Amino acid sequence: MKCTSSPQRYLDECLSVMKADGARITRTRKAVIECLAVTEHPLTPQAIVQLLSKNQIDNTKNPGNAPEVEENNSIDLASVYRILKYMSSLGLVHQLGSDGGFFPCTHASCNSGVHLLTRCEQCENTKEIHMPKDITAGLIWYIENETDFLPESHILEISGTCNNCRSI
């Protein structure tokens, strides 16, 4: 499979993985996925609740209506935490260490070894970069053999300044 790059492909991939796992696809789960699909910044569970409750999704990046939530147009924080935990267990989101925000995994379907996330400290735009396994194999080998530590999660977060912010 190709790496996920568009919001629709991310939504389709998440729904496919969840269905294969036997999960029910509720409107709330779908709304959280849609919220993550269009973000350029890591989102905390609180930010997701706020975005969904106010329908503040940027519809220029997500044609059509904002994600549909339950009838009363509200979603509770505990549900969002549970959904994000479940998505994380399936490898569909990354939780960033810098602020605890969640960001969609755009490489879930292509089996990327190390997930490299670059994050601009000025505008907070975050991107996931595909790193071929032959580039990162040495790092993983070193960690396993020289430090007697077996890595289970391979997420590297690099902060800096994006090209747009540097040119301002």
Side-chain angles (χ1 to χ4, degrees), residues 69-134:
V69 294
E70 302 302 326
E71 302 280 322
N72 62 4
N73 202 28
S74 67
I75 183 171
D76 66 286
L77 188 58
S79 293
V80 173
Y81 271 106
R82 282 192 300 275
I83 292 166
L84 292 170
K85 182 178 180 181
Y86 177 61
M87 290 179 70
S88 182
S89 75
L90 296 176
L92 299 171
V93 292
H94 301 295
Q95 185 172 15
L96 279 66
S98 59
D99 70 356
F102 289 83
F103 196 72
C105 178
T106 59
H107 293 97
S109 62
C110 63
N111 243 351
S112 179
V114 174
H115 298 268
L116 176 65
L117 300 168
T118 59
R119 184 172 185 182
C120 180
E121 291 180 342
Q122 293 181 28
C123 70
E124 296 187 8
N125 276 356
T126 303
K127 293 191 177 8
E128 184 171 12
I129 299 172
H130 174 70
M131 294 292 292
K133 289 182 182 180
D134 58 336

Side-chain angles (χ1 to χ4, degrees), residues 9-60:
R9 285 176 61 182
Y10 178 71
L11 174 65
D12 293 345
E13 177 71 17
C14 289
L15 296 177
S16 173
V17 169
M18 288 176 156
K19 284 178 186 175
D21 192 53
R24 242 176 21 113
I25 306 303
T26 64
R27 282 193 267 172
T28 303
R29 281 184 176 167
K30 190 173 179 187
V32 170
I33 295 167
E34 289 174 343
C35 188
L36 288 165
V38 298
T39 189
E40 293 181 354
H41 313 289
L43 297 173
T44 63
Q46 294 85 352
I48 292 171
V49 168
Q50 185 176 29
L51 287 169
L52 293 175
S53 67
K54 294 181 180 179
N55 284 332
Q56 293 178 345
I57 302 299
D58 184 351
N59 290 325
T60 62

Side-chain angles (χ1 to χ4, degrees), residues 149-168:
F149 183 81
L150 183 61
E152 293 179 13
S153 177
H154 306 109
I155 300 172
L156 297 174
E157 181 182 347
I158 300 176
S159 296
T161 307
C162 71
N163 189 44
N164 289 340
C165 290
R166 281 196 317 269
S167 62
I168 295 177

